[in-house]
Amino acid sequence: QVQLVESGGGSVQPGGSLRLSCEASTTVFGVMSWYRQAPGKQRELVADITTGGTTGYADSVKGRFAISRHNTKNMIYLHMSDLEPEDSAVYYCHATFGVMPVWGRGTQVAVSS
């Protein structure tokens, strides 16, 4: 069974930084993504990256977040800087294997003073 496992969440003050990691249990072909979901809100796409390294970002995180990928390690990362309280959420890793979408269990990010 394909699995995605996130790590790296935590609590940080506004303006701080965190790096999230997501490890896949097998090789991923195609797009891998980070989503987030805050309490009472819908899950939203934060950033995605193709196998070739083409990236895309939500407007709310452009210039502050950077997604990267290590294909041989089956991992993606989300480097988050200048964090704001509005970035607080559970962050999920996502990939599609064939036609099957797979989600990780999520990692919590809390930004507060």
Coordinates of all heavy atoms in Angstrom, one line a residue, residues 55-103:
T55 N 7.1 24.3 -10.5 CA 6.4 24.6 -9.3 C 5.2 25.5 -9.5 O 5.2 26.3 -10.4 CB 7.3 25.2 -8.2 OG1 7.9 26.4 -8.7 CG2 8.5 24.2 -7.9
G56 N 4.3 25.4 -8.6 CA 3.2 26.3 -8.6 C 2.8 26.6 -7.1 O 3.0 25.8 -6.2
Y57 N 2.3 27.9 -6.9 CA 2.0 28.3 -5.5 C 0.6 29.0 -5.4 O 0.2 29.7 -6.4 CB 3.1 29.2 -5.0 CG 4.4 28.6 -4.9 CD1 5.3 28.7 -6.0 CD2 4.8 27.9 -3.8 CE1 6.6 28.1 -5.9 CE2 6.1 27.4 -3.7 CZ 6.9 27.5 -4.7 OH 8.2 26.9 -4.6
A58 N 0.0 28.9 -4.3 CA -1.1 29.7 -4.0 C -0.7 31.1 -3.8 O 0.4 31.4 -3.4 CB -1.8 29.2 -2.7
D59 N -1.5 32.1 -4.2 CA -1.1 33.5 -4.1 C -0.8 33.9 -2.7 O 0.1 34.7 -2.5 CB -2.3 34.4 -4.6 CG -2.5 34.3 -6.1 OD1 -1.5 33.9 -6.8 OD2 -3.5 34.7 -6.6
S60 N -1.4 33.3 -1.7 CA -1.2 33.7 -0.3 C 0.2 33.3 0.2 O 0.6 33.8 1.2 CB -2.3 33.0 0.6 OG -2.2 31.6 0.4
V61 N 0.9 32.4 -0.5 CA 2.2 32.0 0.0 C 3.3 32.3 -0.9 O 4.5 32.1 -0.6 CB 2.2 30.4 0.3 CG1 1.1 30.1 1.2 CG2 2.2 29.6 -1.0
K62 N 3.0 32.9 -2.1 CA 4.1 33.2 -3.0 C 5.1 34.2 -2.4 O 4.8 35.1 -1.7 CB 3.5 33.9 -4.3 CG 2.9 32.9 -5.3 CD 2.3 33.6 -6.5 CE 1.6 32.7 -7.4 NZ 1.0 33.3 -8.6
G63 N 6.4 33.8 -2.6 CA 7.4 34.7 -2.1 C 7.8 34.3 -0.6 O 8.8 34.8 -0.1
R64 N 7.0 33.5 0.0 CA 7.3 33.1 1.4 C 7.6 31.5 1.5 O 8.4 31.1 2.4 CB 6.2 33.4 2.3 CG 5.8 34.9 2.3 CD 4.8 35.2 3.4 NE 3.5 34.5 3.2 CZ 3.0 33.7 4.0 NH1 3.6 33.4 5.2 NH2 1.8 33.1 3.8
F65 N 6.9 30.8 0.7 CA 7.1 29.3 0.7 C 7.8 28.8 -0.5 O 7.7 29.4 -1.6 CB 5.7 28.6 0.7 CG 4.9 28.8 2.0 CD1 5.3 29.7 3.0 CD2 3.8 28.0 2.3 CE1 4.6 29.8 4.2 CE2 3.1 28.1 3.4 CZ 3.5 29.0 4.4
A66 N 8.5 27.8 -0.4 CA 9.2 27.1 -1.5 C 9.1 25.6 -1.4 O 9.4 25.0 -0.4 CB 10.7 27.6 -1.5
I67 N 8.6 25.0 -2.5 CA 8.5 23.6 -2.6 C 9.7 23.0 -3.3 O 10.2 23.6 -4.3 CB 7.2 23.2 -3.2 CG1 6.9 21.7 -3.1 CG2 7.1 23.6 -4.7 CD1 5.5 21.2 -3.5
S68 N 10.2 21.9 -2.9 CA 11.3 21.3 -3.6 C 11.1 19.8 -3.6 O 10.3 19.2 -2.8 CB 12.7 21.6 -3.0 OG 12.7 21.2 -1.6
R69 N 11.9 19.1 -4.4 CA 11.7 17.6 -4.5 C 13.0 16.9 -4.7 O 13.9 17.4 -5.4 CB 10.8 17.4 -5.8 CG 10.4 16.0 -6.1 CD 9.3 16.0 -7.2 NE 8.8 14.7 -7.5 CZ 7.7 14.5 -8.1 NH1 6.9 15.4 -8.4 NH2 7.3 13.2 -8.4
H70 N 13.1 15.8 -4.1 CA 14.3 14.9 -4.2 C 13.7 13.6 -4.8 O 13.3 12.7 -4.0 CB 14.9 14.7 -2.9 CG 16.3 14.2 -3.0 ND1 16.7 13.1 -3.7 CD2 17.5 14.7 -2.5 CE1 18.0 12.9 -3.6 NE2 18.5 13.8 -2.9
N71 N 13.8 13.4 -6.1 CA 13.2 12.3 -6.7 C 13.8 10.9 -6.3 O 13.0 10.0 -6.1 CB 13.2 12.4 -8.3 CG 12.3 13.5 -8.8 OD1 11.2 13.7 -8.3 ND2 12.8 14.2 -9.8
T72 N 15.1 10.9 -6.2 CA 15.7 9.6 -5.8 C 15.3 9.2 -4.4 O 15.4 8.0 -4.1 CB 17.2 9.6 -6.0 OG1 17.7 10.7 -5.2 CG2 17.5 9.8 -7.5
K73 N 15.0 10.1 -3.5 CA 14.6 9.8 -2.2 C 13.1 9.7 -2.0 O 12.6 9.5 -0.9 CB 15.2 10.9 -1.2 CG 16.7 10.8 -1.1 CD 17.1 11.8 0.0 CE 18.7 11.8 0.2 NZ 19.1 12.8 1.2
N74 N 12.4 10.0 -3.1 CA 10.9 9.9 -3.0 C 10.4 10.9 -2.0 O 9.5 10.6 -1.2 CB 10.4 8.5 -2.7 CG 10.8 7.5 -3.8 OD1 10.9 7.9 -4.9 ND2 11.0 6.3 -3.3
M75 N 11.0 12.1 -2.0 CA 10.6 13.1 -1.0 C 10.3 14.5 -1.6 O 10.9 14.8 -2.6 CB 11.7 13.3 0.1 CG 11.9 12.0 0.9 SD 12.9 12.3 2.3 CE 11.9 13.3 3.4
I76 N 9.4 15.2 -1.0 CA 9.2 16.6 -1.3 C 9.3 17.4 0.0 O 9.1 16.8 1.1 CB 7.9 16.9 -2.0 CG1 6.7 16.6 -1.1 CG2 7.8 16.3 -3.3 CD1 5.4 17.2 -1.7
Y77 N 9.6 18.6 -0.1 CA 9.8 19.5 1.1 C 9.0 20.8 0.9 O 8.7 21.2 -0.3 CB 11.2 19.9 1.3 CG 12.1 18.7 1.3 CD1 12.7 18.2 0.1 CD2 12.4 18.0 2.5 CE1 13.6 17.1 0.1 CE2 13.2 16.9 2.5 CZ 13.8 16.4 1.3 OH 14.6 15.3 1.4
L78 N 8.6 21.4 2.0 CA 8.0 22.8 1.9 C 8.7 23.7 2.9 O 8.6 23.5 4.1 CB 6.5 22.7 2.2 CG 5.7 24.0 2.0 CD1 5.7 24.4 0.5 CD2 4.3 23.9 2.6
H79 N 9.5 24.6 2.3 CA 10.2 25.5 3.1 C 9.3 26.7 3.3 O 9.0 27.4 2.4 CB 11.5 25.9 2.4 CG 12.4 24.8 2.0 ND1 13.5 24.4 2.8 CD2 12.3 23.9 1.0 CE1 14.1 23.4 2.2 NE2 13.4 23.0 1.1
M80 N 9.0 27.0 4.6 CA 8.1 28.1 4.9 C 8.8 29.1 5.7 O 9.4 28.9 6.7 CB 6.9 27.5 5.7 CG 6.1 26.4 5.0 SD 4.7 25.8 5.9 CE 5.4 25.2 7.4
S81 N 8.7 30.4 5.2 CA 9.4 31.5 5.9 C 8.4 32.6 6.1 O 7.3 32.6 5.5 CB 10.6 31.9 5.2 OG 10.3 32.4 3.9
D82 N 8.8 33.6 7.0 CA 7.9 34.7 7.2 C 6.5 34.2 7.5 O 5.5 34.8 7.0 CB 7.9 35.7 6.0 CG 7.3 37.0 6.4 OD1 7.3 37.4 7.6 OD2 6.9 37.8 5.5
L83 N 6.4 33.3 8.4 CA 5.1 32.7 8.7 C 4.1 33.6 9.4 O 4.6 34.5 10.2 CB 5.3 31.4 9.6 CG 5.7 30.2 8.8 CD1 6.4 29.1 9.7 CD2 4.6 29.6 8.0
E84 N 2.9 33.5 9.1 CA 1.8 34.4 9.6 C 0.8 33.5 10.4 O 0.7 32.3 10.1 CB 1.1 35.1 8.5 CG 2.0 35.9 7.6 CD 1.4 36.4 6.3 OE1 0.2 36.0 6.1 OE2 2.0 37.2 5.6
P85 N 0.1 34.1 11.3 CA -0.9 33.3 12.0 C -1.9 32.6 11.1 O -2.4 31.5 11.4 CB -1.6 34.3 12.9 CG -0.6 35.3 13.2 CD 0.2 35.4 11.9
E86 N -2.2 33.3 9.9 CA -3.1 32.7 8.9 C -2.6 31.4 8.3 O -3.3 30.7 7.6 CB -3.4 33.7 7.9 CG -4.2 34.9 8.3 CD -3.4 35.9 9.2 OE1 -2.1 35.9 9.0 OE2 -4.0 36.7 10.0
D87 N -1.3 31.1 8.5 CA -0.7 29.9 7.9 C -0.9 28.7 8.8 O -0.6 27.6 8.5 CB 0.8 30.1 7.7 CG 1.1 31.2 6.7 OD1 0.5 31.2 5.6 OD2 2.1 32.0 7.0
S88 N -1.5 28.9 10.0 CA -1.7 27.8 10.9 C -2.8 26.9 10.3 O -3.8 27.3 9.9 CB -2.3 28.4 12.3 OG -1.3 29.2 12.9
A89 N -2.4 25.6 10.3 CA -3.3 24.6 9.7 C -2.6 23.2 9.8 O -1.5 23.1 10.2 CB -3.5 24.9 8.2
V90 N -3.4 22.2 9.4 CA -2.7 20.9 9.2 C -2.3 20.9 7.8 O -3.1 21.1 6.9 CB -3.7 19.8 9.5 CG1 -3.1 18.4 9.3 CG2 -4.2 19.9 11.0
Y91 N -1.1 20.5 7.5 CA -0.5 20.5 6.2 C -0.4 19.0 5.7 O 0.1 18.1 6.5 CB 0.9 21.1 6.2 CG 0.8 22.6 6.2 CD1 0.4 23.3 7.4 CD2 1.1 23.4 5.1 CE1 0.3 24.7 7.4 CE2 1.0 24.7 5.1 CZ 0.6 25.4 6.2 OH 0.5 26.8 6.3
Y92 N -1.0 18.8 4.5 CA -1.1 17.4 4.0 C -0.2 17.3 2.7 O -0.3 18.2 1.9 CB -2.5 17.1 3.7 CG -3.4 17.0 4.8 CD1 -4.1 18.2 5.2 CD2 -3.6 15.9 5.6 CE1 -5.0 18.1 6.3 CE2 -4.5 15.8 6.7 CZ -5.2 17.0 7.0 OH -6.0 16.9 8.1
C93 N 0.4 16.2 2.6 CA 1.1 15.8 1.3 C 0.1 15.0 0.4 O -0.7 14.2 1.0 CB 2.3 15.0 1.7 SG 3.3 14.5 0.3
H94 N 0.2 15.2 -0.8 CA -0.7 14.5 -1.8 C 0.0 14.1 -3.0 O 0.9 14.8 -3.5 CB -1.9 15.5 -2.2 CG -2.8 14.9 -3.2 ND1 -2.5 15.0 -4.6 CD2 -3.9 14.1 -3.1 CE1 -3.5 14.4 -5.2 NE2 -4.3 13.9 -4.4
A95 N -0.3 12.9 -3.5 CA 0.2 12.5 -4.8 C -0.9 11.5 -5.4 O -1.7 11.0 -4.7 CB 1.5 11.8 -4.7
T96 N -0.8 11.4 -6.7 CA -1.7 10.4 -7.4 C -0.8 9.3 -8.0 O 0.1 9.5 -8.7 CB -2.4 11.2 -8.5 OG1 -3.2 12.2 -8.0 CG2 -3.4 10.2 -9.2
F97 N -1.3 8.1 -7.6 CA -0.6 6.9 -8.1 C -1.6 6.2 -9.1 O -2.6 5.6 -8.7 CB -0.2 6.0 -6.9 CG 0.8 6.6 -6.0 CD1 0.4 7.4 -5.0 CD2 2.1 6.3 -6.2 CE1 1.3 8.0 -4.2 CE2 3.1 6.9 -5.4 CZ 2.7 7.7 -4.3
G98 N -1.2 6.3 -10.4 CA -2.2 5.8 -11.4 C -3.4 6.8 -11.4 O -3.2 7.9 -11.7
V99 N -4.5 6.2 -11.0 CA -5.7 7.1 -10.9 C -6.1 7.2 -9.4 O -7.2 7.8 -9.1 CB -6.9 6.5 -11.7 CG1 -6.6 6.5 -13.2 CG2 -7.2 5.1 -11.2
M100 N -5.3 6.7 -8.5 CA -5.6 6.7 -7.1 C -4.9 7.9 -6.4 O -3.7 8.0 -6.3 CB -5.1 5.4 -6.5 CG -5.5 5.3 -5.0 SD -5.0 3.7 -4.3 CE -3.2 3.8 -4.4
P101 N -5.7 8.8 -5.8 CA -5.2 9.9 -5.0 C -4.8 9.4 -3.6 O -5.5 8.6 -3.0 CB -6.3 10.9 -4.9 CG -7.5 10.1 -5.1 CD -7.2 9.0 -6.0
V102 N -3.6 9.8 -3.1 CA -3.2 9.3 -1.8 C -2.8 10.6 -1.0 O -2.2 11.5 -1.5 CB -1.9 8.4 -2.0 CG1 -1.4 8.0 -0.6 CG2 -2.3 7.2 -2.7
W103 N -3.3 10.5 0.2 CA -3.0 11.6 1.2 C -2.2 11.1 2.4 O -2.4 10.0 2.8 CB -4.3 12.2 1.7 CG -5.2 12.9 0.7 CD1 -6.1 12.3 0.0 CD2 -5.1 14.3 0.3 NE1 -6.7 13.2 -0.9 CE2 -6.1 14.5 -0.6 CE3 -4.4 15.4 0.8 CZ2 -6.4 15.7 -1.2 CZ3 -4.6 16.6 0.2 CH2 -5.6 16.8 -0.8

